[in-house]
Amino acid sequence: MADTAGVRVLYTGDYSREEDCHLCAAEIPQFSPDICVIESTYGVQLHQPRNVREKRFTDVIHSTISQGGRVLIPAFALGRAQ
């Protein structure tokens, strides 16, 4: 957070309040900024539960490999690659 001329500005990158395999859930700050700038990739998206998405993802991989295929997984962000 930056304080400029008495105005508290908080900038944060993309975050999630949902815990996952490699990152803790974002914590709520103990202060109230006057201005908050948030990067958001999926800010207004509703997703299926993580376990449903992971099952669908792994099912496709298993099916492809069992049929002799190969799987290439493009990742546009570090969190996706991990």
Side-chain angles (χ1 to χ4, degrees):
M1 184 174 79
D3 191 325
T4 305
V7 177
R8 293 178 297 182
V9 180
L10 173 67
Y11 172 83
T12 179
D14 208 353
Y15 68 91
S16 175
R17 294 281 301 139
E18 185 177 318
E19 184 114 4
D20 66 22
C21 297
H22 63 281
L23 292 173
C24 298
E27 296 178 5
I28 297 173
Q30 299 299 314
F31 53 85
S32 296
D34 298 305
I35 299 171
C36 187
V37 180
I38 303 171
E39 172 190 348
S40 178
T41 304
Y42 298 111
V44 296
Q45 301 296 318
L46 295 176
H47 296 286
Q48 291 179 320
R50 180 177 306 277
N51 62 334
V52 172
R53 289 179 283 144
E54 288 177 353
K55 173 93 169 83
R56 187 176 68 233
F57 177 70
T58 57
D59 285 350
V60 169
I61 292 172
H62 287 278
S63 173
T64 301
I65 292 172
S66 69
Q67 295 175 43
R70 296 183 181 177
V71 177
L72 175 65
I73 304 169
F76 66 90
L78 178 61
R80 302 291 185 261
Q82 293 174 339

